[in-house]
């Protein structure tokens, strides 16, 4: 791990952390939510990161008081691949649960300490955990959805591609077929065409250098260039960004890939030129546009539920 990447991560963790704490100040667990915290989903050697929470609407039970199985939303948090954990998405996650879902909110290993595909391995382990614990926590493994923000949208797009594209999945032998159906995704303010982003003169190359073991060689960039692996079997997707998001151009790249493959999707840009929003605005429950966006995505998921 280079000093450059270490200091980059420290800077991001400090500055992003301040913003998230300000956004979440004063928020508490809603009275209508039951939460199960700090569940170990992986190995003991990386216990610090392989933890998840489950949030459910209270009283969502069968007549015998057993938890009824609810459609699931998995949260893949953002943070430029180097920042974040489940704590900064807990209040957003509980707002989604209030809309009638069981929400799985997990932490995954971060760069530069853990190189790709560590985060993808953790994501696979979470989805396997859902299969193994569906009865205990009332999770409908045949109606699983996922939301990914920013770098989390990138990670989610790669995972969905690996599940739906046999050729791509061969690069990740740890991803196994399982008794679970990923019915749909929400890709929020994400980054999908890594090759374009690295070559556009911004700072993406610094973060990618922290993420990848060899610093972003051409074959490494190709492997994580999510738009290249979308096929007709990719899950239905709700793609959103907003006016004011520095990653707004990236939304059109994944939309084109979905269009070309014939994948069912919705594409929505929130805010206006006169009243722009900001990157991952939808995580702020006090914002009317965030409420509207989260309503739109959950309604999209409801339409994808298999009865």
């Amino acid at each position: 791990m280079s000093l450059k990447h270490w200091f980059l991560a420290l800077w991001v963790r400090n500055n992003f952390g301040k913003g998230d704490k300000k956004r979440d100040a004063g928020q508490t667990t809603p009275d209508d939510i039951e939460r199960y915290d700090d569940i170990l989903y992986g190995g003991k050697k990386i216990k610090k990161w392989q933890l998840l929470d489950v949030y459910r609407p209270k009283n969502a039970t069968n007549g015998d008081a057993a938890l009824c199985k609810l459609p699931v939303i998995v949260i893949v948090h953002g943070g430029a691949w180097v920042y974040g954990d489940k704590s900064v998405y807990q209040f957003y996650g509980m707002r989604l649960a209030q809309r009638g879902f069981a929400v799985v909110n997990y932490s995954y290993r971060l760069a530069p300490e853990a190189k790709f595909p560590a985060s993808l391995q953790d994501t696979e382990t979470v989805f396997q955990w859902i299969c193994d614990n569906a009865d205990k926590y009332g999770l409908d493994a045949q109606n699983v959805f996922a939301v990914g923000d920013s770098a989390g949208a990138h990670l989610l797009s790669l995972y969905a591609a690996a599940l739906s594209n046999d050729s791509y999945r061969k690069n990740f032998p740890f991803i196994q077929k399982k008794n679970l159906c990923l019915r749909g995704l929400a890709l929020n303010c994400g980054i999908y065409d890594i090759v374009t982003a690295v070559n556009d003169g911004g700072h993406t190359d610094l973060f990618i250098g922290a993420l990848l073991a060899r610093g972003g060689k051409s074959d490494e960039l190709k492997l994580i260039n999510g738009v290249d692996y979308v096929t007709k079997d990719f899950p239905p997707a709700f793609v959103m960004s907003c006016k004011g998001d520095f990653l707004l151009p990236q939304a059109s790249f994944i939309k084109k890939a979905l269009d070309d493959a014939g994948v069912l999707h919705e594409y929505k840009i929130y805010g206006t030129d006169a009243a722009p929003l900001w990157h991952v605005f939808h995580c702020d429950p006090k914002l009317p546009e965030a409420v509207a966006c989260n309503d739109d995505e959950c309604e999209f998921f409801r339409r994808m539920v298999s009865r």
Side-chain angles (χ1 to χ4, degrees):
M1 179 171 56
S2 73
L3 284 177
K4 175 178 67 175
H5 294 146
W6 174 244
F7 283 117
L8 174 70
L10 287 178
W11 184 89
V12 170
R13 290 168 189 175
N14 180 60
N15 285 276
F16 284 25
K18 288 179 180 177
D20 287 339
K21 287 179 181 177
K22 181 178 179 180
R23 179 199 67 204
D24 292 343
Q27 294 195 60
T28 59
T29 299
D31 291 339
D32 59 350
I33 291 297
E34 188 78 34
R35 58 186 296 167
Y36 305 85
D37 293 340
D38 296 330
I39 302 165
L40 181 65
Y41 69 82
K44 293 181 180 179
K45 291 184 179 179
I46 43 180
K47 181 177 178 180
K48 175 182 177 182
W49 293 109
Q50 290 190 328
L51 295 171
L52 61 79
D53 298 345
V54 176
Y55 315 129
R56 290 176 52 93
K58 278 185 179 176
N59 302 320
T61 61
N62 297 316
D64 59 0
L67 296 179
C68 65
K69 288 191 175 181
L70 298 175
V72 181
I73 297 177
V74 180
I75 295 177
V76 188
H77 73 74
W81 302 284
V82 301
Y83 163 79
D85 58 33
K86 63 186 179 63
S87 69
V88 298
Y89 273 64
Q90 60 180 314
F91 299 111
Y92 163 64
M94 288 185 282
R95 298 296 182 181
L96 296 181
Q98 286 179 313
R99 292 169 165 87
F101 295 85
V103 173
V104 175
N105 176 27
Y106 73 105
S107 300
Y108 56 83
R109 285 172 287 169
L110 301 174
E113 294 91 339
K115 302 295 186 180
F116 184 83
S119 54
L120 197 65
Q121 289 175 312
D122 290 349
T123 301
E124 164 66 9
T125 305
V126 167
F127 278 79
Q128 185 59 60
W129 181 92
I130 290 171
C131 292
D132 296 341
N133 292 274
D135 291 338
K136 182 175 182 180
Y137 292 99
L139 311 174
D140 184 352
Q142 297 310 303
N143 284 297
V144 177
F145 303 90
V147 295
D149 301 344
S150 193
H154 171 251
L155 175 57
L156 178 56
S157 72
L158 297 186
Y159 185 68
L163 291 182
S164 57
N165 181 334
D166 290 340
S167 177
Y168 186 55
R169 185 166 59 247
K170 290 177 182 177
N171 295 286
F172 311 108
F174 52 84
I175 296 180
Q176 302 295 315
K177 294 199 174 182
K178 57 188 72 65
N179 186 26
L180 178 147
C181 186
L182 183 57
R183 297 279 177 188
L185 314 174
L187 300 173
N188 302 320
C189 301
I191 182 168
Y192 314 100
D193 190 328
I194 297 296
V195 172
T196 296
V198 165
N199 292 327
D200 72 357
H203 300 296
T204 303
D205 59 324
L206 294 176
F207 293 100
I208 291 298
L211 176 67
L212 298 173
R214 292 183 289 116
K217 300 296 184 183
S218 59
D219 60 317
E220 291 182 301
L221 296 181
K222 177 66 176 174
L223 183 64
I224 65 168
N225 208 53
V227 293
D228 292 339
Y229 305 107
V230 175
T231 68
K232 64 180 179 60
D233 297 318
F234 194 86
F238 189 106
V239 178
M240 81 84 173
S241 187
C242 67
K243 297 289 186 176
D245 180 13
F246 69 94
L247 287 179
L248 175 57
Q250 284 281 324
S252 64
F253 297 144
I254 191 65
K255 182 183 187 304
K256 183 178 186 304
L258 296 168
D259 282 334
D260 290 347
V263 177
L264 174 67
H265 65 282
E266 289 190 19
Y267 178 77
K268 191 159 185 178
I269 305 301
Y270 294 86
T272 66
D273 290 330
L277 297 166
W278 52 87
H279 190 58
V280 298
F281 71 94
H282 63 293
C283 290
D284 185 348
K286 299 182 293 296
L287 189 70
E289 293 90 343
V291 174
C293 175
N294 295 331
D295 282 343
D296 291 343
E297 293 189 346
C298 287
E299 180 55 33
F300 179 80
F301 291 162
R302 289 188 193 99
R303 296 200 301 271
M304 300 300 121
V305 167
S306 176
R307 302 299 179 183

